[in-house]
Amino acid sequence: MQITSKFTIAVHIITAIDYFKDTQKVTSKFLASSVGANPVIVRNVMCALKEADIIAISQGKSGITLAKPLDEITFFAIYKAVDAVSEEGLFHFHENPNANCPIGRNIHKGVDQKLNRVQQAMEEELKKITLSDVVQDTRKAIADENDSINKQ
C-alpha cells in the first residue's frame, strides 16, 4: 500500500509556485530543481495539475501560476488529479488466494468492505486539508529557520 510520489511532488510544486510567485519566474526547470526530481516527472505532474485546473502554464512572462486560491485546493483534489492511487484502490490485494482453501476462497468477503471503508475515511480527511494549510506551515518553518540563522 503506497500513494505514489506524484502526490507529494504536486504538493511541493504548488507550494513553490505560491512562494516564489512574486520573486521568481516559476518554470518546470526551476520546479524540478526545487523538487529534486527528473524534469520529465515534474512536467508530467504539472500536466495533470493543469488538466485539473489547479495550475496555469504560460510560456510568457508569468510562467507557471496557480489557477485557483490555495484554500480551494484540497489534498483530495491533488490526489485525484495525479492519480495517486491505481484504479484498484489504495490497497493492492494479493493476486492468487488459494481457491481450495476456505480462507483463500473467502478472504475477499471478509476484507474488501473494510479496506474500502479505510480508503473512504482517508479520502474524507484529504478533503479537509488545503494547500493554504501547507503554505502557512511551510512559510512559518522558513521564517523560524531565518530567525535561527539571524540569531547566530
Side-chain angles (χ1 to χ4, degrees):
M1 158 178 98
Q2 190 171 42
I3 294 175
T4 70
S5 64
K6 292 187 289 185
F7 176 80
T8 54
I9 289 171
V11 171
H12 187 132
I13 287 169
I14 295 164
T15 304
I17 291 168
D18 179 74
Y19 185 78
F20 292 106
K21 68 183 175 212
D22 297 326
T23 60
Q24 172 103 20
K25 180 177 178 184
V26 181
T27 65
S28 61
K29 183 177 178 181
F30 176 81
L31 291 170
S33 172
S34 177
V35 171
N38 183 306
V40 172
I41 293 169
V42 170
R43 282 192 293 275
N44 287 339
V45 170
M46 287 172 39
C47 284
L49 293 173
K50 183 178 187 295
E51 286 178 28
D53 293 320
I54 293 172
I55 65 171
I57 302 172
S58 95
Q59 301 299 324
K61 186 177 178 183
S62 60
I64 301 159
T65 58
L66 297 178
K68 55 178 65 172
L70 291 169
D71 61 354
E72 293 180 18
I73 305 169
T74 64
F75 271 17
F76 184 74
I78 296 166
Y79 166 84
K80 289 307 228 181
V82 299
D83 294 324
V85 174
S86 70
E87 286 293 320
E88 68 187 32
L90 185 60
F91 298 94
H92 178 77
F93 214 96
H94 50 285
E95 305 291 326
N96 300 304
N98 184 345
N100 295 321
C101 170
I103 300 299
R105 277 192 311 275
N106 293 289
I107 192 67
H108 278 281
K109 294 173 188 163
V111 174
D112 287 355
Q113 277 190 320
K114 291 160 187 66
L115 295 179
N116 286 335
R117 281 192 356 238
V118 169
Q119 181 166 343
Q120 287 173 355
M122 182 199 75
E123 289 178 357
E124 287 304 313
E125 196 61 29
L126 289 173
K127 291 174 184 177
K128 297 175 187 175
I129 301 169
T130 70
L131 264 287
S132 181
D133 303 323
V134 172
V135 167
Q136 182 178 12
D137 291 346
T138 303
R139 285 182 181 271
K140 183 181 179 325
I142 292 167
D144 291 349
E145 181 181 72
N146 289 337
D147 288 345
S148 176
I149 291 170
N150 291 335
K151 288 179 182 176
Q152 293 178 357

